[in-house]
Amino acid sequence: EPEVTQTPSHQVTQMGQEVILRCVPISNHLYFYWYRQILGQKVEFLVSFYNNEISEKSEIFDDQFSVERPDGSNFTLKIRSTKLEDSAMYFCASSEHRGGDTQYFGPGTRLTVL
Amino acid sequence: DQQVKQNSPSLSVQEGRISILNCDYTNSMFDYFLWYKKYPAEGPTFLISISSIKDKNEDGRFTVFLNKSAKHLSLHIVPSQPGDSAVYFCAASDDNYGQNFVFGPGTRLSVLP
């Protein structure tokens, strides 16, 4: 069964450093998403991406965040200058159509900012 | 700002019995609701959804009930199986084809053999 993959599984970084979280969505999917879950808290939507542009973003997704689909297979989330509060599990998801019932989530990248 | 609430952080049920997971929401604009299941070290997996034009949706052992006037939905799992042990998230959107879902904090279900 096709699946969404994410690398690395765990990223440790110093505060103020840039990080890039990588995702490989399912190959025929057209919609891509990033979510995060701070430890012990709820899953939060960050951004959705379609047709090479952001289609929707939450208030969490400020100027320090950016997303890119640099080639036909990868979908990345960049955090320019990490803060302690960026420590969380970041989930990538993809879907063939719009709608939450078609989203497939990756296993997540745990980001730890020291 | 807890627009979607799951007031039970955990629930334990005996195998074979019914599991009932509850979710409440405050935003009356929400009209599409989903349940996700999450195992440790994995991403959430879509389980079942319901649109506000319905009050019940069933898929095998899983049934979701929606009470719009009470702004309440519930997920019933019957019979519960040990493999159902996971964290269950309720999520809501004001757009049937929405991408920006608001998640609840989750309920950890433990099904005891």
Side-chain angles (χ1 to χ4, degrees):
Chain A
E1 188 177 330
E3 58 183 17
V4 176
T5 59
Q6 290 184 243
T7 54
S9 57
H10 191 188
Q11 173 93 44
V12 181
T13 190
Q14 293 289 326
M15 189 170 60
Q17 295 294 305
E18 174 183 287
V19 294
I20 298 176
L21 310 183
R22 291 185 164 79
C23 169
V24 178
I26 294 173
S27 62
N28 64 327
H29 285 185
L30 302 175
Y31 297 84
F32 314 108
Y33 315 83
W34 283 101
Y35 294 83
R36 78 172 185 191
Q37 184 181 24
I38 296 171
L39 187 64
Q41 298 185 26
K42 61 183 181 180
V43 176
E44 298 172 296
F45 169 80
L46 292 178
V47 67
S48 59
F49 191 86
Y50 170 73
N51 200 24
N52 281 320
E53 60 183 25
I54 290 173
S55 48
E56 204 166 349
K57 62 182 181 179
S58 72
E59 57 193 27
I60 301 169
F61 194 88
D62 60 22
D63 291 343
Q64 71 156 349
F65 290 93
S66 63
V67 289
E68 196 178 31
R69 190 153 159 80
D71 52 45
S73 59
N74 289 284
F75 178 52
T76 62
L77 174 69
K78 182 193 290 187
I79 309 174
R80 268 181 261 286
S81 176
T82 50
K83 303 191 281 275
L84 295 177
E85 54 265 38
D86 293 328
S87 295
M89 182 72 88
Y90 288 80
F91 293 104
C92 172
S94 71
S95 63
E96 190 175 358
H97 307 289
R98 290 185 72 190
D101 55 352
T102 67
Q103 288 184 20
Y104 288 78
F105 282 75
T109 292
R110 179 168 298 286
L111 176 65
T112 301
V113 182
L114 303 175
Chain B
D1 175 21
Q2 284 196 27
Q3 294 189 71
V4 179
K5 304 175 189 179
Q6 293 176 257
N7 291 323
S8 298
S10 63
L11 175 69
S12 292
V13 171
Q14 210 68 36
E15 181 180 3
R17 305 296 288 268
I18 185 170
S19 296
I20 300 176
L21 297 108
N22 293 303
C23 177
D24 297 286
Y25 60 96
T26 57
N27 188 341
S28 56
M29 299 300 291
F30 287 150
D31 63 2
Y32 194 63
F33 307 89
L34 304 95
W35 284 94
Y36 288 89
K37 179 170 75 173
K38 184 183 179 304
Y39 293 118
E42 294 184 16
T45 303
F46 168 73
L47 199 55
I48 192 168
S49 64
I50 189 165
S51 159
S52 61
I53 61 173
K54 293 186 171 183
D55 53 21
K56 178 183 173 182
N57 189 25
E58 196 171 347
D59 184 2
R61 296 185 297 115
F62 302 92
T63 303
V64 56
F65 294 92
L66 175 62
N67 182 335
K68 291 184 287 292
S69 60
K71 295 194 183 69
H72 175 83
L73 63 156
S74 60
L75 174 69
H76 292 211
I77 306 173
V78 56
S80 302
Q81 299 173 354
D84 296 329
S85 297
V87 176
Y88 289 77
F89 293 100
C90 169
S93 171
D94 59 5
D95 176 0
N96 198 34
Y97 295 97
Q99 300 167 66
N100 184 351
F101 284 89
V102 180
F103 282 74
T107 296
R108 181 176 301 279
L109 173 67
S110 300
V111 180
L112 310 172

